[in-house]
Amino acid sequence: MRRALVLALVSLTLPMAAWADGIDLINHFGTISISNAGITSKGSQLSQFNGIGPGHSLGSVSFSTGALVSGSIQTGGVFSSVGSTFKVIGVGNGGQPKGVIFSGAFVGPITWTLVSQSGQSLTFQLTGALSGQLYNGNTVSGSTTQTFHTTVAQLAKGIVHITSGKTHLTAVPEPGTLGLLGLGLLGIARQARGKLFRS
């Protein structure tokens, strides 16, 4: 009975260890240049890392997309992830890592949505799935939502300002970890079955 209990506890901790490396990031400020060829960001500050912050800049967030594949820049559309990038760099203040925190790219379609329009003022949102590597070498996947403001005249020139962005990244469990979990669960089932038939 004790062995079965130990196996059960070990099997429950494996998935937790596999998913323990998730991080939440928030960025503010900066601009993007946008055209049918794609989006490129500049000067966005990392303002929060896993609850550290807000305050002075903790680093930078930069990203780029592939070309516009459907819709329009003015009313909303979809950008390609081909050739895209997403990079987060920390300055090491306040407890977050110094250097590259995340390096990856968008995966799948990147949605560009017109959220609201009030006179000449426009608000857009960009959302997309991400995949890449954390500073500790772990492979992660996740998503980002970036919010922007601009005017009709600025948008015509390809100028848009970043209001804020939220990014969540979660460690991808390794196949070996999932295999160990499966073996642990099989062992527990075998133990339980043996005890059931002995009773």
Side-chain angles (χ1 to χ4, degrees):
M1 178 67 176
R2 188 178 296 164
R3 192 180 304 163
L5 182 60
V6 169
L7 279 172
L9 289 174
V10 168
S11 70
L12 289 174
T13 60
L14 284 174
M16 297 309 263
W19 292 93
D21 291 319
I23 60 172
D24 291 301
L25 307 165
I26 295 176
N27 61 286
H28 289 95
F29 314 121
T31 61
I32 61 168
S33 59
I34 186 168
S35 70
N36 288 339
I39 296 171
T40 303
S41 73
K42 181 180 178 183
S44 190
Q45 296 178 14
L46 177 64
S47 57
Q48 199 167 19
F49 171 85
N50 262 2
I52 298 170
H56 54 80
S57 176
L58 300 176
S60 63
V61 174
S62 61
F63 55 89
S64 63
T65 72
L68 183 70
V69 292
S70 67
S72 75
I73 293 169
Q74 293 75 22
T75 60
V78 175
F79 286 86
S80 169
S81 60
V82 175
S84 67
T85 62
F86 198 97
K87 196 168 199 175
V88 181
I89 297 175
V91 295
N93 294 336
Q96 100 281 16
K98 184 174 184 176
V100 177
I101 293 174
F102 171 74
S103 181
F106 287 95
V107 289
I110 305 162
T111 307
W112 173 255
T113 307
L114 175 61
V115 176
S116 67
Q117 180 171 2
S118 177
Q120 297 294 302
S121 180
L122 305 167
T123 301
F124 286 92
Q125 204 166 62
L126 179 134
T127 56
L130 300 170
S131 181
Q133 269 195 329
L134 283 182
Y135 57 94
N136 58 10
N138 287 351
T139 300
V140 292
S141 63
S143 62
T144 190
T145 300
Q146 302 286 324
T147 304
F148 310 90
H149 74 276
T150 190
T151 64
V152 172
Q154 286 179 326
L155 186 62
K157 296 176 184 175
I159 302 168
V160 180
H161 306 280
I162 299 170
T163 305
S164 65
K166 293 182 179 180
T167 303
H168 177 73
L169 302 166
T170 307
V172 177
E174 298 172 6
T177 303
L178 294 176
L180 285 172
L181 173 63
L183 287 173
L185 292 174
L186 282 173
I188 292 169
R190 184 171 177 225
Q191 287 268 339
R193 182 176 170 218
K195 286 196 182 282
L196 183 69
F197 284 117
R198 274 185 257 146
S199 298

mmCIF file of all heavy atoms in Angstrom, residues 67-97:
data_model
loop_
_atom_site.group_PDB
_atom_site.id
_atom_site.type_symbol
_atom_site.label_atom_id
_atom_site.label_comp_id
_atom_site.label_asym_id
_atom_site.label_seq_id
_atom_site.Cartn_x
_atom_site.Cartn_y
_atom_site.Cartn_z
ATOM 1 N N ALA A 67 4.207 38.796 -43.761
ATOM 2 C CA ALA A 67 3.365 39.672 -44.584
ATOM 3 C C ALA A 67 1.880 39.504 -44.280
ATOM 4 O O ALA A 67 1.438 38.481 -43.754
ATOM 5 C CB ALA A 67 3.621 39.382 -46.054
ATOM 6 N N LEU A 68 1.106 40.523 -44.623
ATOM 7 C CA LEU A 68 -0.353 40.480 -44.528
ATOM 8 C C LEU A 68 -0.875 39.470 -45.539
ATOM 9 O O LEU A 68 -0.549 39.549 -46.721
ATOM 10 C CB LEU A 68 -0.934 41.870 -44.809
ATOM 11 C CG LEU A 68 -2.447 42.020 -44.675
ATOM 12 C CD1 LEU A 68 -2.864 41.931 -43.206
ATOM 13 C CD2 LEU A 68 -2.891 43.367 -45.259
ATOM 14 N N VAL A 69 -1.663 38.489 -45.068
ATOM 15 C CA VAL A 69 -2.152 37.456 -45.980
ATOM 16 C C VAL A 69 -3.644 37.591 -46.293
ATOM 17 O O VAL A 69 -4.125 37.053 -47.287
ATOM 18 C CB VAL A 69 -1.865 36.027 -45.446
ATOM 19 C CG1 VAL A 69 -0.381 35.745 -45.454
ATOM 20 C CG2 VAL A 69 -2.434 35.811 -44.054
ATOM 21 N N SER A 70 -4.388 38.309 -45.434
ATOM 22 C CA SER A 70 -5.799 38.553 -45.734
ATOM 23 C C SER A 70 -6.272 39.782 -44.969
ATOM 24 O O SER A 70 -5.653 40.202 -44.000
ATOM 25 C CB SER A 70 -6.655 37.341 -45.351
ATOM 26 O OG SER A 70 -6.674 37.152 -43.945
ATOM 27 N N GLY A 71 -7.366 40.366 -45.428
ATOM 28 C CA GLY A 71 -7.901 41.562 -44.794
ATOM 29 C C GLY A 71 -7.093 42.789 -45.160
ATOM 30 O O GLY A 71 -6.402 42.824 -46.180
ATOM 31 N N SER A 72 -7.171 43.806 -44.281
ATOM 32 C CA SER A 72 -6.426 45.044 -44.535
ATOM 33 C C SER A 72 -5.900 45.606 -43.218
ATOM 34 O O SER A 72 -6.392 45.274 -42.141
ATOM 35 C CB SER A 72 -7.317 46.083 -45.219
ATOM 36 O OG SER A 72 -8.228 46.634 -44.278
ATOM 37 N N ILE A 73 -4.918 46.466 -43.340
ATOM 38 C CA ILE A 73 -4.348 47.111 -42.160
ATOM 39 C C ILE A 73 -5.375 48.028 -41.508
ATOM 40 O O ILE A 73 -5.470 48.116 -40.288
ATOM 41 C CB ILE A 73 -3.078 47.891 -42.552
ATOM 42 C CG1 ILE A 73 -1.986 46.910 -42.978
ATOM 43 C CG2 ILE A 73 -2.604 48.784 -41.413
ATOM 44 C CD1 ILE A 73 -0.789 47.551 -43.635
ATOM 45 N N GLN A 74 -6.195 48.706 -42.302
ATOM 46 C CA GLN A 74 -7.147 49.687 -41.787
ATOM 47 C C GLN A 74 -8.330 49.055 -41.056
ATOM 48 O O GLN A 74 -8.832 49.614 -40.085
ATOM 49 C CB GLN A 74 -7.678 50.571 -42.935
ATOM 50 C CG GLN A 74 -6.644 51.479 -43.560
ATOM 51 C CD GLN A 74 -5.658 50.739 -44.474
ATOM 52 O OE1 GLN A 74 -5.933 49.642 -44.974
ATOM 53 N NE2 GLN A 74 -4.495 51.339 -44.687
ATOM 54 N N THR A 75 -8.788 47.900 -41.509
ATOM 55 C CA THR A 75 -10.007 47.311 -40.922
ATOM 56 C C THR A 75 -9.761 46.011 -40.175
ATOM 57 O O THR A 75 -10.660 45.487 -39.527
ATOM 58 C CB THR A 75 -11.049 47.038 -42.023
ATOM 59 O OG1 THR A 75 -10.495 46.130 -42.991
ATOM 60 C CG2 THR A 75 -11.469 48.329 -42.709
ATOM 61 N N GLY A 76 -8.551 45.474 -40.260
ATOM 62 C CA GLY A 76 -8.227 44.222 -39.577
ATOM 63 C C GLY A 76 -7.933 43.120 -40.571
ATOM 64 O O GLY A 76 -8.480 43.098 -41.678
ATOM 65 N N GLY A 77 -7.045 42.214 -40.183
ATOM 66 C CA GLY A 77 -6.678 41.134 -41.082
ATOM 67 C C GLY A 77 -5.798 40.109 -40.382
ATOM 68 O O GLY A 77 -5.741 40.058 -39.150
ATOM 69 N N VAL A 78 -5.112 39.329 -41.190
ATOM 70 C CA VAL A 78 -4.254 38.265 -40.672
ATOM 71 C C VAL A 78 -2.872 38.392 -41.302
ATOM 72 O O VAL A 78 -2.747 38.519 -42.526
ATOM 73 C CB VAL A 78 -4.854 36.871 -40.972
ATOM 74 C CG1 VAL A 78 -3.903 35.764 -40.542
ATOM 75 C CG2 VAL A 78 -6.209 36.705 -40.295
ATOM 76 N N PHE A 79 -1.843 38.347 -40.436
ATOM 77 C CA PHE A 79 -0.460 38.359 -40.887
ATOM 78 C C PHE A 79 0.119 36.954 -40.794
ATOM 79 O O PHE A 79 -0.274 36.157 -39.938
ATOM 80 C CB PHE A 79 0.388 39.320 -40.046
ATOM 81 C CG PHE A 79 0.138 40.770 -40.342
ATOM 82 C CD1 PHE A 79 -0.888 41.456 -39.707
ATOM 83 C CD2 PHE A 79 0.923 41.445 -41.269
ATOM 84 C CE1 PHE A 79 -1.122 42.791 -39.983
ATOM 85 C CE2 PHE A 79 0.690 42.778 -41.550
ATOM 86 C CZ PHE A 79 -0.331 43.460 -40.911
ATOM 87 N N SER A 80 1.060 36.655 -41.646
ATOM 88 C CA SER A 80 1.735 35.360 -41.646
ATOM 89 C C SER A 80 2.766 35.309 -40.515
ATOM 90 O O SER A 80 3.334 36.327 -40.135
ATOM 91 C CB SER A 80 2.435 35.154 -42.987
ATOM 92 O OG SER A 80 3.297 34.037 -42.935
ATOM 93 N N SER A 81 3.030 34.102 -40.022
ATOM 94 C CA SER A 81 4.084 33.926 -39.019
ATOM 95 C C SER A 81 5.432 33.583 -39.671
ATOM 96 O O SER A 81 6.444 33.511 -38.974
ATOM 97 C CB SER A 81 3.691 32.830 -38.031
ATOM 98 O OG SER A 81 3.505 31.602 -38.714
ATOM 99 N N VAL A 82 5.442 33.402 -40.984
ATOM 100 C CA VAL A 82 6.684 33.058 -41.685
ATOM 101 C C VAL A 82 7.676 34.216 -41.556
ATOM 102 O O VAL A 82 7.370 35.359 -41.897
ATOM 103 C CB VAL A 82 6.418 32.745 -43.176
ATOM 104 C CG1 VAL A 82 7.726 32.515 -43.921
ATOM 105 C CG2 VAL A 82 5.500 31.547 -43.309
ATOM 106 N N GLY A 83 8.864 33.922 -41.024
ATOM 107 C CA GLY A 83 9.894 34.934 -40.841
ATOM 108 C C GLY A 83 9.677 35.820 -39.616
ATOM 109 O O GLY A 83 10.375 36.815 -39.435
ATOM 110 N N SER A 84 8.710 35.460 -38.758
ATOM 111 C CA SER A 84 8.409 36.286 -37.585
ATOM 112 C C SER A 84 9.432 36.086 -36.472
ATOM 113 O O SER A 84 10.190 35.112 -36.471
ATOM 114 C CB SER A 84 7.006 35.949 -37.066
ATOM 115 O OG SER A 84 6.977 34.621 -36.553
ATOM 116 N N THR A 85 9.439 37.013 -35.523
ATOM 117 C CA THR A 85 10.302 36.919 -34.350
ATOM 118 C C THR A 85 9.552 37.435 -33.126
ATOM 119 O O THR A 85 8.608 38.230 -33.250
ATOM 120 C CB THR A 85 11.585 37.768 -34.503
ATOM 121 O OG1 THR A 85 11.210 39.149 -34.638
ATOM 122 C CG2 THR A 85 12.406 37.332 -35.692
ATOM 123 N N PHE A 86 9.990 36.996 -31.946
ATOM 124 C CA PHE A 86 9.488 37.547 -30.686
ATOM 125 C C PHE A 86 10.614 37.368 -29.676
ATOM 126 O O PHE A 86 11.036 36.242 -29.410
ATOM 127 C CB PHE A 86 8.223 36.825 -30.205
ATOM 128 C CG PHE A 86 7.442 37.614 -29.192
ATOM 129 C CD1 PHE A 86 6.365 38.386 -29.582
ATOM 130 C CD2 PHE A 86 7.796 37.610 -27.845
ATOM 131 C CE1 PHE A 86 5.635 39.136 -28.653
ATOM 132 C CE2 PHE A 86 7.087 38.349 -26.914
ATOM 133 C CZ PHE A 86 5.999 39.112 -27.311
ATOM 134 N N LYS A 87 11.114 38.479 -29.133
ATOM 135 C CA LYS A 87 12.283 38.412 -28.251
ATOM 136 C C LYS A 87 12.068 39.292 -27.029
ATOM 137 O O LYS A 87 11.608 40.431 -27.148
ATOM 138 C CB LYS A 87 13.531 38.859 -29.003
ATOM 139 C CG LYS A 87 14.831 38.485 -28.342
ATOM 140 C CD LYS A 87 15.978 38.723 -29.310
ATOM 141 C CE LYS A 87 17.207 37.958 -28.892
ATOM 142 N NZ LYS A 87 18.292 38.068 -29.844
ATOM 143 N N VAL A 88 12.441 38.765 -25.870
ATOM 144 C CA VAL A 88 12.349 39.503 -24.608
ATOM 145 C C VAL A 88 13.736 39.513 -23.981
ATOM 146 O O VAL A 88 14.346 38.456 -23.797
ATOM 147 C CB VAL A 88 11.336 38.849 -23.644
ATOM 148 C CG1 VAL A 88 11.244 39.642 -22.353
ATOM 149 C CG2 VAL A 88 9.968 38.705 -24.300
ATOM 150 N N ILE A 89 14.234 40.701 -23.656
ATOM 151 C CA ILE A 89 15.559 40.848 -23.055
ATOM 152 C C ILE A 89 15.402 41.539 -21.703
ATOM 153 O O ILE A 89 14.725 42.570 -21.593
ATOM 154 C CB ILE A 89 16.497 41.667 -23.964
ATOM 155 C CG1 ILE A 89 16.700 40.918 -25.277
ATOM 156 C CG2 ILE A 89 17.833 41.930 -23.287
ATOM 157 C CD1 ILE A 89 17.510 41.649 -26.309
ATOM 158 N N GLY A 90 16.024 40.974 -20.664
ATOM 159 C CA GLY A 90 15.981 41.548 -19.328
ATOM 160 C C GLY A 90 17.267 42.276 -18.996
ATOM 161 O O GLY A 90 18.335 41.922 -19.489
ATOM 162 N N VAL A 91 17.156 43.296 -18.128
ATOM 163 C CA VAL A 91 18.343 44.039 -17.705
ATOM 164 C C VAL A 91 18.877 43.540 -16.363
ATOM 165 O O VAL A 91 19.907 44.008 -15.890
ATOM 166 C CB VAL A 91 18.068 45.569 -17.640
ATOM 167 C CG1 VAL A 91 17.784 46.109 -19.021
ATOM 168 C CG2 VAL A 91 16.945 45.888 -16.683
ATOM 169 N N GLY A 92 18.167 42.600 -15.726
ATOM 170 C CA GLY A 92 18.657 42.001 -14.493
ATOM 171 C C GLY A 92 18.295 42.760 -13.235
ATOM 172 O O GLY A 92 18.736 42.404 -12.152
ATOM 173 N N ASN A 93 17.488 43.805 -13.331
ATOM 174 C CA ASN A 93 17.066 44.556 -12.145
ATOM 175 C C ASN A 93 15.841 43.903 -11.505
ATOM 176 O O ASN A 93 14.969 43.415 -12.199
ATOM 177 C CB ASN A 93 16.703 46.005 -12.507
ATOM 178 C CG ASN A 93 17.902 46.788 -12.982
ATOM 179 O OD1 ASN A 93 19.032 46.449 -12.651
ATOM 180 N ND2 ASN A 93 17.660 47.829 -13.750
ATOM 181 N N GLY A 94 15.792 43.903 -10.189
ATOM 182 C CA GLY A 94 14.590 43.444 -9.489
ATOM 183 C C GLY A 94 14.394 41.949 -9.466
ATOM 184 O O GLY A 94 13.326 41.474 -9.103
ATOM 185 N N GLY A 95 15.365 41.164 -9.887
ATOM 186 C CA GLY A 95 15.240 39.716 -9.763
ATOM 187 C C GLY A 95 14.961 38.955 -11.046
ATOM 188 O O GLY A 95 14.977 37.737 -11.049
ATOM 189 N N GLN A 96 14.675 39.653 -12.145
ATOM 190 C CA GLN A 96 14.465 38.918 -13.391
ATOM 191 C C GLN A 96 15.810 38.648 -14.055
ATOM 192 O O GLN A 96 16.788 39.321 -13.753
ATOM 193 C CB GLN A 96 13.476 39.660 -14.303
ATOM 194 C CG GLN A 96 14.058 40.477 -15.425
ATOM 195 C CD GLN A 96 14.602 41.836 -14.975
ATOM 196 O OE1 GLN A 96 14.819 42.091 -13.812
ATOM 197 N NE2 GLN A 96 14.850 42.697 -15.926
ATOM 198 N N PRO A 97 15.876 37.652 -14.948
ATOM 199 C CA PRO A 97 17.158 37.314 -15.582
ATOM 200 C C PRO A 97 17.735 38.469 -16.406
ATOM 201 O O PRO A 97 17.003 39.301 -16.924
ATOM 202 C CB PRO A 97 16.798 36.141 -16.500
ATOM 203 C CG PRO A 97 15.524 35.606 -15.971
ATOM 204 C CD PRO A 97 14.799 36.760 -15.364
#
